[in-house]
């Protein structure tokens, strides 16, 4: 039975992944209904506010469900949110067996959904492909377990580790295909962050343009509010959040707010990144993509705030220029930061390294 459960759960996880970039702050969830050894329906959570995966699958099958088993990668919800509780829909369907990948870390659920089903005569098995399910929804798990967003550092560099030339020119180190990949990353994160140095040097829009997807919240680190009022990141949609220090000019704060830009003070003399991350989490940001320059990248690494890294490496040499990462305080090889789960893939002429900095 365990082997059969895993086969079906792998399909569930594949379905769930289709919601990437569309369902946050909800988790990615897929569902299968199996009867007499055959899949009679499948579904996944498509968009935030839309039907949950279990309900979508049941709508497609339209019963009867006697003798059927429901497979779902995350514990069915038992509370009212944008939609009614899934556990009640399961009971009404007549399904008497449910196989679950992960218990939901959300305190509103956290085992209560499984308990409700069992108390009402439904057989429930849990823990099927648990590690794979947690990896899929790692941002959701971190948010509910630690109260912080999952932080991914992303940058493009030359083969010799430069993100810009000695004159500051950085467009374009990577290929068009790699830039399209970077836009896809933006579309799958709740927020994208840069420092004021990047805004002054490149005047980026920080929107999703090269692929289809949702625009993330734009965040700019600007302790002294040097941002020009005409900066592209302050124009149009999506909204922009300026993170500054309490010593920033009050007249500039007022001018930004009058333009509809939100300004938050998260530090006295400079922006305190841990405070900023908690502020973003309070706004429902589960995942943050950091596209900053050297100073921002180095700060997140030095303070141990980054969970993952995505590094695009172009087959070019720059020589003297701007290094991607500054001083991390490493004095011996034994102190070097170890990366985990490193993967490598090719996009056009570029190579993309992805790695984890935390467990």
């Amino acid at each position: 039975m365990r082997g059969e459960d895993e086969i079906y759960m792998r399909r569930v996880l594949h379905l769930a992944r289709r919601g990437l970039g569309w369902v946050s702050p909800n988790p990615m969830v897929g569902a299968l209904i199996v009867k007499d050894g055959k899949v009679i329906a499948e579904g996944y959570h498509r968009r935030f506010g839309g039907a949950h995966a279990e309900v979508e699958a049941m709508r497609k099958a339209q019963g009867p469900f006697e003798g059927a088993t429901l497979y779902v990668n995350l514990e069915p919800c038992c509370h009212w949110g944008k939609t009614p509780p899934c556990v009640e829909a399961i009971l009404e369907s007549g399904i008497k067996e449910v196989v679950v990948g992960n218990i939901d870390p959300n305190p509103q659920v956290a085992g209560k959904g499984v308990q409700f089903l069992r108390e009402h005569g439904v057989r429930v098995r849990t823990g099927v492909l648990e590690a794979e399910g947690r990896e899929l929804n790692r941002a959701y798990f971190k948010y509910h377990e630690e109260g912080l967003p999952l932080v991914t550092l992303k940058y493009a560099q030359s083969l010799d580790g430069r993100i810009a030339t000695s004159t500051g020119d950085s467009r374009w180190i990577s290929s068009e295909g790699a830039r399209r990949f970077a836009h896809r990353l933006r579309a799958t994160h709740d927020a994208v962050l840069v420092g004021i140095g990047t805004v002054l040097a490149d005047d980026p829009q920080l929107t999703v343009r090269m692929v289809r997807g949702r625009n993330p919240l734009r965040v700019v680190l600007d302790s002294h509010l040097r941002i020009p009022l005409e900066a592209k990141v302050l124009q149009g949609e999506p909204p922009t959040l300026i993170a500054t220090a309490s010593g920033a000019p009050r007249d500039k704060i007022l001018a930004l707010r009058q333009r509809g830009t939100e300004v938050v003070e998260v530090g006295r003399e400079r922006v305190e990144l841990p405070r900023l991350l908690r502020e973003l989490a309070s706004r429902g940001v589960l995942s943050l993509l950091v596209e900053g320059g050297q100073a921002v990248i180095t700060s997140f690494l030095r303070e141990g705030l980054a969970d993952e890294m995505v590094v695009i490496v172009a087959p070019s040499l720059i020589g003297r220029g701007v290094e991607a990462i500054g001083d991390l305080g490493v004095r011996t090889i034994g102190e070097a930061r170890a990366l985990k789960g490193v993967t490598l893939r090719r996009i056009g002429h570029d190579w993309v390294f992805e790695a984890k900095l935390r467990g």
Side-chain angles (χ1 to χ4, degrees), residues 33-311:
I33 300 177
V34 178
K35 185 175 180 179
D36 300 326
K38 295 182 180 179
V39 176
I40 63 172
E42 60 183 33
Y44 68 97
H45 186 31
R46 296 174 179 270
R47 287 178 181 269
F48 177 70
H52 287 190
E54 304 95 316
V55 172
E56 183 178 269
M58 287 186 284
R59 286 174 180 171
K60 289 182 177 179
Q62 298 180 343
F65 295 112
E66 291 78 7
T69 299
L70 170 68
Y71 287 83
V72 60
N73 61 295
L74 195 72
E75 175 182 16
C77 66
C78 56
H79 66 289
W80 279 84
K82 293 286 185 180
T83 59
C86 289
V87 291
E88 294 185 3
I90 293 171
L91 290 184
E92 292 173 4
S93 74
I95 290 174
K96 293 298 183 181
E97 185 173 51
V98 177
V99 179
V100 175
N102 295 90
I103 298 299
D104 195 328
N106 184 342
Q108 291 183 295
V109 188
K112 300 182 185 73
V114 167
Q115 181 182 355
F116 180 91
L117 291 173
R118 285 173 172 163
E119 289 176 348
H120 288 79
V122 178
R123 297 183 300 277
V124 182
R125 297 196 299 279
T126 63
V128 178
L129 297 187
E130 191 171 10
E132 290 88 338
R134 186 181 179 91
E135 171 65 16
L136 175 67
N137 280 305
R138 55 195 182 277
Y140 182 78
F141 275 87
K142 183 183 178 186
Y143 176 81
H144 284 290
E145 292 174 350
E146 302 180 34
L148 294 169
L150 187 85
V151 177
T152 300
L153 305 182
K154 185 239 94 181
Y155 58 89
Q157 66 171 41
S158 61
L159 189 60
D160 53 348
R162 303 296 188 266
I163 59 174
T165 67
S166 58
T167 64
D169 182 34
S170 61
R171 292 188 175 183
W172 296 101
I173 288 178
S174 58
S175 64
E176 182 176 341
R179 295 198 297 277
R180 187 177 299 110
F181 164 74
H183 277 240
R184 190 173 299 114
L185 275 179
R186 285 182 188 170
T188 57
H189 284 75
D190 295 332
V192 57
L193 178 150
V194 297
I196 184 59
T198 296
V199 173
L200 295 176
D202 299 334
D203 196 19
Q205 296 181 56
L206 298 183
T207 55
V208 175
R209 301 182 302 281
M210 300 181 76
V211 298
R212 178 173 169 266
R214 296 193 304 181
N215 282 315
L217 169 70
R218 299 178 289 188
V219 182
V220 178
L221 303 181
D222 189 2
S223 297
H224 306 292
L225 287 187
R226 294 186 291 148
I227 189 167
L229 294 179
E230 63 275 12
K232 290 179 181 177
V233 76
L234 300 181
Q235 314 304 319
E237 294 292 335
T240 298
L241 180 71
I242 306 295
T244 192
S246 57
R250 310 315 295 179
D251 58 340
K252 189 67 171 287
I253 292 177
L254 179 61
L256 286 164
R257 288 175 174 167
Q258 286 178 336
R259 294 172 60 92
T261 300
E262 190 168 6
V263 181
V264 294
E265 299 171 37
V266 282
R268 291 187 177 182
E269 297 181 2
R270 59 183 293 273
V271 171
E272 297 174 10
L273 295 179
R275 285 183 59 183
L276 174 59
L277 293 181
R278 289 193 294 272
E279 173 68 27
L280 292 175
S282 73
R283 296 163 181 264
V285 172
L286 276 63
S287 56
L288 174 66
L289 182 66
V290 177
E291 293 190 7
Q294 184 199 76
V296 173
I297 293 168
T298 304
S299 293
F300 272 90
L301 289 172
R302 283 187 68 100
E303 296 186 42
L305 300 175
D307 298 282
E308 303 178 357
M309 293 183 71
V310 177
V311 183

